[in-house]
Amino acid sequence: LSSVTQPKLISLLLLASLWTPIGFAQNTTFEGDPAVALSNDKLELTLMLKGSTLASVVLKEDPEKLNPLWNPMRMARELGRPAHFDGGAGIFVCVDGFGPVSAEEKAAGLPGHGEAHSRMFSVQSQREGKSTSLTMRADLPVVHESFTRTFRVLDGENVISVDSELENQLGFDRPVNWAEHATIGSPFLASGETVVDISGSRSRTRPYDQLTNGQSSRRLASGKDFTWPMAPGLNGESINLRETPENAHYLDHATTLMDPNRELEWATALNKKKGLLLGYIFRRAEYPWLQYWGNYPPTGKFSRGMEFGTQPFDVPRREAISTGTMFGTPTYRWLPAKSKITTRFVVFYTRVPEGLQKVDDVRMENGEIVVEDHTAHKEVRLAAAVDL
């Protein structure tokens, strides 16, 4: 074999060892990259082998098959630009790391946002009763950790449970950075249509030096505290961060401390025109922060991060750990020596009744997820057998 052909063959053989028939899920592709399809009678999911990324979720009964999650490959293709999947799309995990790397980390081979999103994962599926699950695993050789993630759906539910485990292969305690880069995108994310609600109020805009980033401009004041959702603008005006801006050419960053009086936190994105709601429920002890990243370029190809994690902003490791606390809350998490830490969160996607305009509360009770709009006196109840 030639020196060019041999590496390609080795790569294909490695991929084949990962991408084998897996029983209750189906091998597929997403934007030309290997993926796995997992479904029940309500939802259809697409999970990337690279990064264990949840790239797509659609309602089976939706004739439009609208995926609310961010698909940067499709957006790039529609703009006539090269489309390449680097692990960043939909709901992807940032572990161990959330933000840029230092020069030394980069030289050691550590990518931004941690190693997991750039690794190929092995896959195993299981069917038990009404439950179908997919377990994905990868080693993280630079940080000497291993990461395992299990996605599970139950028949009759509009809910996905996500269980994750991070294992320390070294013999000393270490601080880690972990975030779920949960991101919605156009066309679900649209001006005048899509609003975001969260279970938190104490917030801060991200400090910055530059006012512009290509065609997009900053509109939020730098490093200012505020009460969600009304953030301080550059000119002293208040900007409602629930809403997707009109005439967009903006780049926003802010963080919110999740409600310290709750054990379970939530974040939702509602497209009022289409009557579709995407939501997350997670444990505050595991993810006390939610970063808002609003990327609204003039092209109309919007993306909005609802990124829940262990630190307020996606910043280098040294900065997150040196900060220590913000608003009296830690900005990293400990991973003990030769031990594992876990997380669990749920994703739900559903139609909502006409007239529901906002989300005031999300809770889990008696085997259901309950979503309430107090002003409109509307609610949604979804079967959810998972226990948080």
Side-chain angles (χ1 to χ4, degrees), residues 106-123:
K106 184 177 180 180
L110 187 66
H113 283 335
E115 234 176 319
H117 77 282
S118 67
R119 303 291 295 173
M120 295 299 293
F121 278 66
S122 63
V123 183

mmCIF file of all heavy atoms in Angstrom, residues 106-123:
data_model
loop_
_atom_site.group_PDB
_atom_site.id
_atom_site.type_symbol
_atom_site.label_atom_id
_atom_site.label_comp_id
_atom_site.label_asym_id
_atom_site.label_seq_id
_atom_site.Cartn_x
_atom_site.Cartn_y
_atom_site.Cartn_z
ATOM 1 N N LYS A 106 -2.484 23.603 24.336
ATOM 2 C CA LYS A 106 -2.591 23.435 22.881
ATOM 3 C C LYS A 106 -1.418 22.632 22.345
ATOM 4 O O LYS A 106 -1.580 21.731 21.508
ATOM 5 C CB LYS A 106 -2.657 24.794 22.202
ATOM 6 C CG LYS A 106 -2.860 24.713 20.699
ATOM 7 C CD LYS A 106 -2.997 26.099 20.085
ATOM 8 C CE LYS A 106 -3.209 26.011 18.579
ATOM 9 N NZ LYS A 106 -3.356 27.373 17.970
ATOM 10 N N ALA A 107 -0.221 22.929 22.831
ATOM 11 C CA ALA A 107 0.964 22.200 22.388
ATOM 12 C C ALA A 107 0.897 20.732 22.788
ATOM 13 O O ALA A 107 1.447 19.858 22.098
ATOM 14 C CB ALA A 107 2.219 22.844 22.970
ATOM 15 N N ALA A 108 0.216 20.440 23.890
ATOM 16 C CA ALA A 108 0.063 19.059 24.358
ATOM 17 C C ALA A 108 -1.054 18.315 23.634
ATOM 18 O O ALA A 108 -1.269 17.125 23.886
ATOM 19 C CB ALA A 108 -0.200 19.049 25.865
ATOM 20 N N GLY A 109 -1.787 19.017 22.750
ATOM 21 C CA GLY A 109 -2.836 18.368 21.967
ATOM 22 C C GLY A 109 -4.234 18.516 22.515
ATOM 23 O O GLY A 109 -5.162 17.854 22.027
ATOM 24 N N LEU A 110 -4.434 19.362 23.514
ATOM 25 C CA LEU A 110 -5.769 19.544 24.089
ATOM 26 C C LEU A 110 -6.543 20.577 23.284
ATOM 27 O O LEU A 110 -6.094 21.712 23.131
ATOM 28 C CB LEU A 110 -5.663 19.995 25.544
ATOM 29 C CG LEU A 110 -6.977 20.072 26.323
ATOM 30 C CD1 LEU A 110 -7.580 18.689 26.508
ATOM 31 C CD2 LEU A 110 -6.763 20.738 27.687
ATOM 32 N N PRO A 111 -7.712 20.224 22.754
ATOM 33 C CA PRO A 111 -8.502 21.199 21.991
ATOM 34 C C PRO A 111 -9.341 22.080 22.903
ATOM 35 O O PRO A 111 -9.559 21.765 24.081
ATOM 36 C CB PRO A 111 -9.404 20.306 21.128
ATOM 37 C CG PRO A 111 -9.585 19.074 21.950
ATOM 38 C CD PRO A 111 -8.302 18.883 22.715
ATOM 39 N N GLY A 112 -9.802 23.200 22.373
ATOM 40 C CA GLY A 112 -10.749 24.022 23.099
ATOM 41 C C GLY A 112 -12.026 23.260 23.394
ATOM 42 O O GLY A 112 -12.400 22.342 22.673
ATOM 43 N N HIS A 113 -12.694 23.614 24.484
ATOM 44 C CA HIS A 113 -13.924 22.951 24.929
ATOM 45 C C HIS A 113 -13.696 21.489 25.322
ATOM 46 O O HIS A 113 -14.631 20.677 25.310
ATOM 47 C CB HIS A 113 -15.019 23.025 23.863
ATOM 48 C CG HIS A 113 -15.703 24.361 23.780
ATOM 49 N ND1 HIS A 113 -15.770 25.241 24.837
ATOM 50 C CD2 HIS A 113 -16.361 24.968 22.757
ATOM 51 C CE1 HIS A 113 -16.435 26.322 24.476
ATOM 52 N NE2 HIS A 113 -16.801 26.194 23.216
ATOM 53 N N GLY A 114 -12.452 21.136 25.668
ATOM 54 C CA GLY A 114 -12.194 19.787 26.158
ATOM 55 C C GLY A 114 -12.026 18.772 25.047
ATOM 56 O O GLY A 114 -12.248 19.047 23.867
ATOM 57 N N GLU A 115 -11.644 17.575 25.460
ATOM 58 C CA GLU A 115 -11.304 16.524 24.509
ATOM 59 C C GLU A 115 -12.507 15.744 23.981
ATOM 60 O O GLU A 115 -12.481 15.237 22.858
ATOM 61 C CB GLU A 115 -10.375 15.535 25.219
ATOM 62 C CG GLU A 115 -9.084 15.266 24.534
ATOM 63 C CD GLU A 115 -8.185 14.357 25.348
ATOM 64 O OE1 GLU A 115 -8.112 14.515 26.581
ATOM 65 O OE2 GLU A 115 -7.576 13.480 24.735
ATOM 66 N N ALA A 116 -13.546 15.593 24.798
ATOM 67 C CA ALA A 116 -14.602 14.622 24.486
ATOM 68 C C ALA A 116 -15.271 14.892 23.146
ATOM 69 O O ALA A 116 -15.571 13.961 22.396
ATOM 70 C CB ALA A 116 -15.637 14.594 25.602
ATOM 71 N N HIS A 117 -15.527 16.152 22.819
ATOM 72 C CA HIS A 117 -16.275 16.449 21.591
ATOM 73 C C HIS A 117 -15.479 16.134 20.332
ATOM 74 O O HIS A 117 -16.058 16.089 19.238
ATOM 75 C CB HIS A 117 -16.727 17.911 21.578
ATOM 76 C CG HIS A 117 -15.663 18.900 21.254
ATOM 77 N ND1 HIS A 117 -14.721 19.310 22.171
ATOM 78 C CD2 HIS A 117 -15.377 19.557 20.107
ATOM 79 C CE1 HIS A 117 -13.911 20.173 21.610
ATOM 80 N NE2 HIS A 117 -14.279 20.345 20.358
ATOM 81 N N SER A 118 -14.176 15.906 20.466
ATOM 82 C CA SER A 118 -13.347 15.629 19.297
ATOM 83 C C SER A 118 -13.000 14.150 19.145
ATOM 84 O O SER A 118 -12.325 13.769 18.188
ATOM 85 C CB SER A 118 -12.044 16.438 19.388
ATOM 86 O OG SER A 118 -11.239 15.985 20.477
ATOM 87 N N ARG A 119 -13.452 13.305 20.062
ATOM 88 C CA ARG A 119 -13.088 11.886 20.055
ATOM 89 C C ARG A 119 -14.180 11.046 19.389
ATOM 90 O O ARG A 119 -15.359 11.363 19.441
ATOM 91 C CB ARG A 119 -12.874 11.372 21.487
ATOM 92 C CG ARG A 119 -11.820 12.125 22.277
ATOM 93 C CD ARG A 119 -10.429 11.873 21.754
ATOM 94 N NE ARG A 119 -10.045 10.469 21.922
ATOM 95 C CZ ARG A 119 -8.933 9.954 21.431
ATOM 96 N NH1 ARG A 119 -8.098 10.693 20.729
ATOM 97 N NH2 ARG A 119 -8.651 8.681 21.622
ATOM 98 N N MET A 120 -13.776 9.927 18.782
ATOM 99 C CA MET A 120 -14.731 8.950 18.266
ATOM 100 C C MET A 120 -15.151 8.023 19.404
ATOM 101 O O MET A 120 -14.305 7.550 20.185
ATOM 102 C CB MET A 120 -14.114 8.137 17.134
ATOM 103 C CG MET A 120 -13.786 8.955 15.891
ATOM 104 S SD MET A 120 -15.239 9.737 15.130
ATOM 105 C CE MET A 120 -16.134 8.298 14.552
ATOM 106 N N PHE A 121 -16.447 7.751 19.493
ATOM 107 C CA PHE A 121 -17.005 6.970 20.590
ATOM 108 C C PHE A 121 -17.411 5.576 20.111
ATOM 109 O O PHE A 121 -17.936 5.422 18.999
ATOM 110 C CB PHE A 121 -18.231 7.675 21.166
ATOM 111 C CG PHE A 121 -17.915 8.774 22.143
ATOM 112 C CD1 PHE A 121 -17.256 9.929 21.732
ATOM 113 C CD2 PHE A 121 -18.280 8.663 23.481
ATOM 114 C CE1 PHE A 121 -16.973 10.945 22.621
ATOM 115 C CE2 PHE A 121 -17.995 9.668 24.386
ATOM 116 C CZ PHE A 121 -17.337 10.814 23.954
ATOM 117 N N SER A 122 -17.206 4.583 20.952
ATOM 118 C CA SER A 122 -17.788 3.267 20.721
ATOM 119 C C SER A 122 -19.263 3.319 21.110
ATOM 120 O O SER A 122 -19.684 4.180 21.892
ATOM 121 C CB SER A 122 -17.060 2.196 21.536
ATOM 122 O OG SER A 122 -17.206 2.439 22.924
ATOM 123 N N VAL A 123 -20.047 2.388 20.577
ATOM 124 C CA VAL A 123 -21.499 2.447 20.748
ATOM 125 C C VAL A 123 -22.052 1.084 21.113
ATOM 126 O O VAL A 123 -21.638 0.056 20.565
ATOM 127 C CB VAL A 123 -22.188 2.933 19.450
ATOM 128 C CG1 VAL A 123 -23.692 3.065 19.655
ATOM 129 C CG2 VAL A 123 -21.597 4.253 18.988
#
